[in-house]
Amino acid sequence: MLDFFLLMDFEEMERKWQKRWFDGKIYEARREKGKKFFIHFAYPGISGYLHVGHMRGFTYADVIARYMRMNGYDVIFPAGFHATGLPAVSLAKKVARNDEKMLEYLRQNGCPEEIIPKLKDPEEVVRYFSRVYVEDYWKKFGFLIDYTRLMNTISLGYKKFIQWQFRQLMKKELLVQKPHYAPYCPNCGPVAVDKSETDISEGGDAEILEFTLIKFRFDGRILPAATLRPETIFGVTNMWVNDSIEYVIARVGDEEWIVSEKAAEKLRYQMEDVEVVGRIHGSEIVGKKCVAPIVNREVPIFPAEFADPDIATGIVMSVPAHAPYDYVALRDIGMPVEPIVIIDIKGYEIPAKEIVEKMGIENQRDERLEEATQIIYKDEFHKGVMNENCNGYAGMSVNEAKEEIKERMFSEGIAELMREFSRRVICRCGEEVVIKRVPNQWFIKYSDEDLTRKSIEWVNEMNIFPREYKDELPKILEWYGDRACIRQGSWLGTPFPFDENWIIEPISDSTLYPAYYIIAKYVNEGKIDVEEMDDDFFNYVFLGEGAARREIWERIKEEFEYWYPVDINLGGKEHKTVHFPVFIMNHVAIMPRRHYPRGIFAHWWVTQKAGMKISKSKGGAEPIPDAAKKYGVDALRLYYCHIGSPFVDVEWDDETVEQYKKRIARTWNLFQQLLSLNGKKAEIDEWLVSAFNEKLKVAREAMREFDMRKASNALFFEMHNIFNWYMKRGGGNEGVVKDILHKWVRAIAPFTPHMAEEMWENLGMKEFVTLQNYPEEEEIDYGVLKAESVLTKTMDDIEEIRKVTGIKASNIYIYIAPPWKWKILEMALQLEEEEGILNMKNLMEKVKEMDVNMKEASQYAAKLIQEMRKEKFMVIDERKYMENAKEFMERELGAKVHICGDDCPDPANKRRHAFPHRPAIYME
RNA sequence: GCGAGGGUAGCCAAGCCAGGUCCAAGGCGGCAGACUCAAGAUCUGCUGGCGUAGGCCAUCGCCGGUUCGAAUCCGGCCCCUCGCACCA
């Protein structure tokens, strides 16, 4: 075991300091300094236990909050819980039906047996996990979150707030109604189709495709051919109907359509007025003819097995020149018609034919047809041009023609739109999910031009990390369309104020919420009655409209004015295209300009290999409190800060985290070692002071952009080397070291606060280091830093020579550059600084005035000018510095060292090579 | 498709925006040594090639360009990853 773990029980240390911080309530946001900083993270959804990956972002927020607190800001760092929507409900449902996996999961994560039955109730789920997040995660990690402001999105006060927000949106005409097409289970109602498959048992990755149903005329009825490529109507040669199934005749408006039975079902959900009036077998249709619109061509109807009754209408038009399926199916029945080519594209004559032959596809059951279709579709869409067979569209690119033809067909009534999943989606109840038309769906009008423009302009004023995201955001805001903001079903959330049967969906109820943290404190403390929080209240507090009905309103408003706007909203990269844009837009839409958010910080994830989720086999899957126990909180905090840029995904790896645990131990040991020094003043002290301040400067500059990686690297890793070198050089000045430790401990406090507090106490300090001012760097003597680096470089060179030659030297001569070389350097530096130009001409003009060997001097000057382009030169007393370090060098090199001007022997004629910052060396 | 990010030595990973101090930080792994009965941990040194004087050569996905000078800037190409809306 490491000394550290024998001497220090870090778990005990964490508990000790956390208790003191929390007892001292130092986390509470107070208005004292006149300068404020508002940071929060995108609150987590209540979806169960979190894993070590989630702690990355939370840790960043705490480090930044602590850093800003030490830099003279009143910091408000609130947090809450996103309880709205499905996750909590879904968890409760699983518990209710005694889902084995769920029970197992709860037990493994340490859920007490007596709690489990209670979790059948979604509200209990919210209550329980809120507590877990606070007690087992945030407090365990020492986060100085303002715990007096905790809130969740299903509390009464919050709901009032959201209703106010929606009335504001309505007032500003940003709520609009229009038809919407959404996933729907005939048994369970609206469901969410997403990859986590909360509501569904299959098909979470399904996309909604938009098929164009082109109406072919057939015996006074309609054969609606479903296609994703309406532009290929010009190349239609025949129809495909499955002759082994029965179709239905459906009355649609005043038309009669022939579609598969299933299609009729689906269409009923998407269109008004659809009714099955008869049946017709596929074999009764096959062999007849129908008429294609647009081209007004009569085409035969052939049988095809791939005409799947489960996909769209079950009726397919055939474009054999451009659709591999069609080509192969025709070939299977002996090519009764010839393909018509309608798209010109480089590298192909008849695209479908060629790819099918190239891939050696044998018949219409070949699975590779899907791949062939993809290839042709992509190529044609991007590179294809409509040819002379396309009346009126010739010369147009395929992607343009597609849109125009589609629009024309819809407007002329010869086509309809049908939405269909790209794959089967099955509800938890076992029923197949369909797409249902919601005729009067409410949307938030994010497409609003004025709102979009103002939001984009505002982004320009914001501090956004990473920088790349700042450039990306305007494009996202531009792209962001209207969002369906309410839905029906059994989920948690706020009733829509204009129709209380609907619930506001989870993205839309989490946009202005940082503002509510200000109010949450007063609600939590019972200082305001939720009932009195009506529109007048919110208008007064947030918008400054109207008057306060009670004195407490004034206090709340005052506080809101002090803390708002948000300085940093921190969240994972998953928020880049959804949450952050609406966070900005809702503030712009509703709040006065001075309350628009000032900054966003988007961090990337902790993953397993290749972006996989954290898994048991690869580590990181243990409950967070177990990980905290295993590695120590400060080690984990340092790990998150230092493992990589915040803007790349990092792979969790037990062994790597273990290294950070060791790093904490080493840092602690080093501190103890430094603390025990009781030496006297020495030459190297000056170097230590400058080297320390230089790294401190690096850290402070990095933190200006919240670059925690760079800062922690300087403070923990580079600083470690500096202290080690100082001691190796014989340094041990108690006064200087103590002074520096006072600064260093403060500097590392935001990152590893528990260890820092312990160190601070060891230094004999009484107050919390957490509440101290962050140290500022003092003057840095670059000459000393340079001199020391010349020394180490010289020693490296000696080592190198020794290695190459194999000489075991007993005498080492170090020749410092002679005074005239330093004089010329001084002149060169002066020219550079005063005239901004340094070249042979102006330098030699000055050199001429000197009494030196002109040939030697000009050679030297030429080389000097060259070298000065690469390295920073300065005039320093190298000889004196080396003399002072002579004993050290002798000890290290195990040989007698002679520091020479022109006063020692020079048998190998090395002295002439001596250069500033690069003494000549001779060994014997 | 739309949008974004990335390819650096045996592996992980900094550096790139602000070109020179990059023969590329740090870590892991490997080798050697110290300590130890031993193992582990810890500490020290080495870890692209060549080299009997601090040097030379090679390397930052590939090709080209700009520059006195390119991992870094510009252009083209190849490959990988991620997000894309009712999911938080």
Side-chain angles (χ1 to χ4, degrees):
Chain A
M1 277 304 252
L2 291 150
D3 289 347
F4 174 74
F5 300 113
L6 289 174
L7 294 167
M8 280 308 305
D9 180 347
F10 62 95
E11 223 188 314
E12 177 53 37
M13 187 169 93
E14 286 159 13
R15 258 199 303 272
K16 166 179 161 188
W17 291 106
Q18 284 166 13
K19 182 166 190 319
R20 292 195 193 174
W21 295 329
F22 298 146
D23 286 351
K25 302 197 171 186
I26 65 170
Y27 51 79
E28 273 187 46
R30 293 195 187 88
R31 288 178 281 155
E32 289 167 346
K33 302 171 185 164
K35 265 204 303 188
K36 68 90 193 181
F37 187 78
F38 188 146
I39 184 169
H40 73 104
F41 48 74
Y43 48 22
I46 301 280
S47 56
Y49 294 96
L50 302 180
H51 62 68
V52 290
H54 294 109
M55 299 306 289
R56 185 184 192 183
F58 302 154
T59 298
Y60 286 153
D62 186 60
V63 171
I64 293 171
R66 285 172 174 270
Y67 182 79
M68 294 308 280
R69 181 177 280 113
M70 291 179 76
N71 272 279
Y73 290 86
D74 288 331
V75 170
I76 184 168
F77 175 25
F81 317 96
H82 197 190
T84 327
L86 295 165
V89 174
S90 143
L91 197 151
K93 275 186 191 163
K94 284 181 187 163
V95 175
R97 65 168 180 256
N98 280 316
D99 182 297
E100 265 316 310
K101 268 193 187 159
M102 177 52 68
L103 299 177
E104 168 80 9
Y105 163 83
L106 290 168
R107 288 188 183 115
Q108 266 186 356
N109 280 282
C111 183
E113 282 302 321
E114 66 275 16
I115 297 285
I116 293 176
K118 289 189 186 171
L119 299 181
K120 290 173 187 162
D121 173 7
E123 298 207 18
E124 200 59 50
V125 171
V126 172
R127 204 166 305 136
Y128 172 68
F129 282 101
S130 300
R131 211 195 58 87
V132 168
Y133 294 2
V134 170
E135 299 299 328
D136 293 351
Y137 306 161
W138 300 341
K139 287 191 173 173
K140 269 234 155 58
F141 270 65
F143 295 161
L144 297 184
I145 288 169
D146 188 341
Y147 296 102
T148 65
R149 296 173 191 276
L150 296 174
M151 58 108 156
N152 72 54
T153 55
I154 56 169
S155 64
L156 282 177
Y158 193 83
K159 288 179 177 175
K160 290 233 174 186
F161 166 65
I162 294 304
Q163 294 201 333
W164 167 79
Q165 176 193 345
F166 275 77
R167 278 192 282 265
Q168 286 291 315
L169 289 171
M170 182 67 98
K171 212 166 104 188
K172 295 179 189 279
E173 296 179 349
L174 289 170
L175 290 180
V176 294
Q177 254 182 318
K178 58 186 178 181
H180 181 57
Y181 297 84
Y184 181 85
C185 167
N187 296 334
C188 311
V191 291
V193 174
D194 72 282
K195 287 181 187 120
S196 64
E197 304 196 330
T198 307
D199 281 356
I200 54 180
S201 60
E202 188 188 327
D205 55 351
E207 290 175 75
I208 295 180
L209 302 175
E210 294 190 342
F211 281 93
T212 303
L213 307 185
I214 301 177
K215 299 178 190 172
F216 284 63
R217 298 189 293 280
F218 172 72
D219 278 356
R221 294 189 173 122
I222 299 287
L223 272 179
T227 180
L228 293 168
R229 302 189 57 189
E231 76 282 8
T232 59
I233 184 72
F234 291 104
V236 67
T237 58
N238 61 287
M239 281 293 259
W240 297 117
V241 165
N242 195 324
D243 63 351
S244 61
I245 62 161
E246 197 176 44
Y247 288 81
V248 299
I249 298 164
R251 194 182 48 72
V252 178
D254 51 10
E255 296 169 345
E256 280 188 0
W257 291 16
I258 296 171
V259 296
S260 73
E261 190 166 5
K262 200 139 172 205
E265 276 294 306
K266 291 176 187 166
L267 285 171
R268 283 222 328 255
Y269 286 102
Q270 296 188 24
M271 298 169 151
E272 289 163 35
D273 204 11
V274 175
E275 189 188 348
V276 173
V277 295
R279 299 187 157 265
I280 183 167
H281 199 274
S283 55
E284 294 174 61
I285 309 168
V286 165
K288 296 185 175 162
K289 294 196 166 182
C290 59
V291 178
I294 304 269
V295 289
N296 290 318
R297 197 149 66 212
E298 187 168 72
V299 296
I301 302 167
F302 294 143
E305 298 162 44
F306 73 84
D308 186 341
D310 288 347
I311 296 176
T313 55
I315 311 254
V316 185
M317 72 175 184
S318 168
V319 187
H322 302 287
Y325 271 107
D326 297 341
Y327 179 80
V328 173
L330 273 182
R331 200 178 59 180
D332 286 353
I333 58 170
M335 284 314 262
V337 289
E338 282 306 307
I340 301 170
V341 175
I342 57 150
I343 292 167
D344 288 339
I345 171 169
K346 221 171 79 188
Y348 295 101
E349 293 288 327
I350 306 173
K353 176 170 188 274
E354 284 145 25
I355 191 137
V356 162
E357 286 168 1
K358 197 171 135 206
M359 292 174 68
I361 288 169
E362 286 178 11
N363 58 48
Q364 58 183 295
R365 285 185 215 98
D366 197 315
E367 283 173 5
R368 286 171 305 154
L369 270 170
E370 196 52 48
E371 187 190 337
T373 302
Q374 286 299 320
I375 293 170
I376 294 293
Y377 180 88
K378 265 193 171 165
D379 273 0
E380 291 189 341
F381 186 81
H382 296 291
K383 293 185 263 176
V385 176
M386 308 302 287
N387 73 11
E388 66 286 354
N389 287 329
C390 312
N391 195 15
Y393 299 91
M396 197 180 279
S397 74
V398 169
N399 63 47
E400 270 179 90
K402 181 178 180 163
E403 286 311 309
E404 289 209 13
I405 293 169
K406 212 157 105 179
E407 281 313 311
R408 172 175 160 199
M409 286 176 168
F410 292 151
S411 63
E412 291 180 9
I414 52 182
E416 298 286 340
L417 189 66
M418 175 177 183
R419 290 167 175 86
E420 175 83 306
F421 288 115
S422 58
R423 53 165 297 187
R424 225 156 65 111
V425 179
I426 305 296
C427 180
R428 285 252 170 244
C429 73
E431 184 64 64
E432 189 166 343
V433 174
V434 297
I435 296 165
K436 183 177 194 278
R437 180 175 195 266
V438 184
N440 287 310
Q441 171 72 47
W442 283 97
F443 289 77
I444 299 178
K445 196 180 167 199
Y446 290 119
S447 65
D448 185 82
E449 276 182 38
D450 191 47
L451 175 61
T452 302
R453 184 181 48 75
K454 275 161 90 176
S455 300
I456 290 173
E457 281 169 14
W458 181 251
V459 165
N460 199 35
E461 306 291 318
M462 295 176 70
N463 300 313
I464 291 169
F465 307 94
R467 214 188 340 255
E468 291 79 7
Y469 183 45
K470 183 159 181 161
D471 301 330
E472 197 183 342
L473 253 175
K475 291 180 237 171
I476 295 169
L477 291 168
E478 195 68 60
W479 157 86
Y480 213 101
D482 297 344
R483 184 182 183 89
C485 58
I486 58 174
R487 36 187 218 193
Q488 279 179 316
S490 58
W491 22 57
L492 303 177
T494 303
F496 185 57
F498 305 99
D499 184 347
E500 302 241 337
N501 293 319
W502 293 72
I503 304 288
I504 293 165
E505 63 85 33
I507 295 298
S508 303
D509 81 1
S510 296
T511 60
L512 290 179
Y513 71 91
Y516 189 76
Y517 284 127
I518 305 298
I519 294 170
K521 184 184 177 79
Y522 292 87
V523 175
N524 293 345
E525 291 173 355
K527 288 180 181 158
I528 185 157
D529 184 2
V530 168
E531 287 309 313
E532 77 176 277
M533 288 165 37
D534 54 15
D535 282 5
D536 287 348
F537 170 77
F538 291 111
N539 286 340
Y540 173 74
V541 171
F542 294 144
L543 308 178
E545 291 171 6
R549 283 209 301 263
R550 288 217 298 141
E551 192 258 331
I552 189 81
W553 291 21
E554 287 172 33
R555 295 223 328 257
I556 295 173
K557 178 174 170 49
E558 206 178 289
E559 213 187 354
F560 176 72
E561 290 290 337
Y562 187 79
W563 294 112
Y564 233 62
V566 170
D567 291 283
I568 288 288
N569 178 356
L570 181 148
K573 64 175 178 179
E574 71 277 20
H575 296 301
K576 288 203 303 176
T577 51
V578 184
H579 169 250
F580 290 141
V582 297
F583 163 69
I584 295 170
M585 285 197 273
N586 278 276
H587 275 86
V588 169
I590 295 173
M591 291 284 183
R593 192 180 164 93
R594 68 177 185 283
H595 291 148
Y596 291 2
R598 293 224 184 101
I600 287 174
F601 189 105
H603 67 263
W604 267 233
W605 298 338
V606 177
T607 62
Q608 258 311 316
K609 290 263 180 280
M612 300 293 285
K613 284 184 179 168
I614 299 274
S615 72
K616 216 176 280 177
S617 58
K618 303 280 184 175
E622 66 267 71
I624 290 168
D626 294 4
K629 196 178 164 95
K630 185 168 165 192
Y631 303 107
V633 165
D634 284 337
L636 285 169
R637 293 176 60 111
L638 184 59
Y639 163 79
Y640 294 122
C641 290
H642 187 261
I643 185 64
S645 153
F647 316 122
V648 295
D649 288 337
V650 298
E651 285 170 10
W652 179 270
D653 174 28
D654 284 345
E655 283 182 31
T656 306
V657 186
E658 193 69 43
Q659 291 304 320
Y660 282 89
K661 179 177 173 177
K662 289 182 189 165
R663 172 60 59 173
I664 292 292
R666 279 201 245 178
T667 305
W668 175 258
N669 287 341
L670 177 71
F671 172 79
Q672 292 302 334
Q673 208 181 339
L674 290 165
L675 202 58
S676 66
L677 293 173
N678 52 9
K680 292 258 160 355
K681 189 173 183 308
E683 223 65 41
I684 194 68
D685 295 347
E686 285 175 39
W687 173 81
L688 176 67
V689 171
S690 283
F692 172 83
N693 279 299
E694 193 199 17
K695 292 305 170 203
L696 182 58
K697 188 174 174 212
V698 168
R700 287 177 58 93
E701 277 170 8
M703 284 308 284
R704 238 183 262 163
E705 298 197 350
F706 305 126
D707 187 340
M708 289 163 276
R709 183 182 198 286
K710 201 170 181 180
S712 58
N713 195 249
L715 293 172
F716 288 85
F717 292 77
E718 293 173 2
M719 216 65 109
H720 196 102
N721 292 339
I722 286 172
F723 287 131
N724 271 338
W725 182 250
Y726 173 71
M727 288 189 284
K728 190 170 180 181
R729 283 284 267 112
N733 183 327
E734 189 179 348
V736 168
V737 169
K738 286 260 163 64
D739 186 51
I740 283 183
L741 286 178
H742 274 88
K743 295 194 174 99
W744 181 65
V745 170
R746 280 184 282 150
I748 64 170
F751 302 90
T752 54
H754 310 87
M755 181 170 73
E757 290 289 4
E758 194 70 25
M759 288 173 169
W760 194 243
E761 195 180 54
N762 276 205
L763 282 166
M765 308 305 284
K766 297 278 182 267
E767 307 287 321
F768 290 123
V769 69
T770 303
L771 299 179
Q772 304 304 307
N773 286 330
Y774 205 80
E776 285 179 43
E777 66 271 11
E778 282 153 27
E779 205 176 323
I780 299 161
D781 182 345
Y782 289 97
V784 172
L785 294 178
K786 186 76 195 178
E788 188 67 14
S789 88
V790 170
L791 173 73
T792 55
K793 180 75 172 65
T794 303
M795 288 173 69
D796 287 348
D797 284 346
I798 290 167
E799 224 18 83
E800 173 92 4
I801 295 165
R802 187 183 266 172
K803 196 176 112 194
V804 174
T805 63
I807 294 171
K808 287 198 178 66
S810 50
N811 281 294
I812 298 171
Y813 299 89
I814 295 173
Y815 309 96
I816 306 297
W820 66 268
K821 287 189 178 173
W822 290 98
K823 181 71 196 159
I824 293 176
L825 169 62
E826 195 181 341
M827 295 192 285
L829 288 170
Q830 200 178 357
L831 283 172
E832 206 169 43
E833 188 176 325
E834 286 172 12
E835 299 182 23
I837 299 171
L838 171 66
N839 55 35
M840 267 312 261
K841 194 159 167 266
N842 66 5
L843 182 57
M844 284 312 287
E845 259 168 41
K846 288 207 157 196
V847 172
K848 271 185 209 145
E849 293 162 19
M850 292 172 66
D851 178 24
V852 287
N853 178 329
M854 276 306 146
K855 194 177 167 209
E856 251 186 310
S858 69
Q859 276 172 1
Y860 167 73
K863 188 162 184 219
L864 182 64
I865 289 169
Q866 211 183 346
E867 293 293 318
M868 280 175 71
R869 274 214 289 249
K870 296 188 205 159
E871 193 187 334
K872 176 112 181 98
F873 277 72
M874 49 181 71
V875 177
I876 53 178
D877 191 343
E878 276 181 12
R879 182 160 189 187
K880 186 169 162 234
Y881 201 85
M882 292 286 202
E883 284 287 359
N884 282 329
K886 203 167 109 175
E887 263 179 52
F888 168 69
M889 282 195 278
E890 290 183 336
R891 198 165 63 235
E892 287 293 308
L893 298 168
K896 184 107 186 80
V897 171
H898 310 267
I899 309 298
C900 317
D902 49 9
D903 48 352
C904 18
D906 180 22
N909 195 18
K910 295 284 181 193
R911 192 188 339 252
R912 65 201 167 91
H913 296 302
F915 210 81
H917 307 337
R918 192 140 196 278
I921 298 162
Y922 173 68
M923 314 168 44
E924 57 173 26

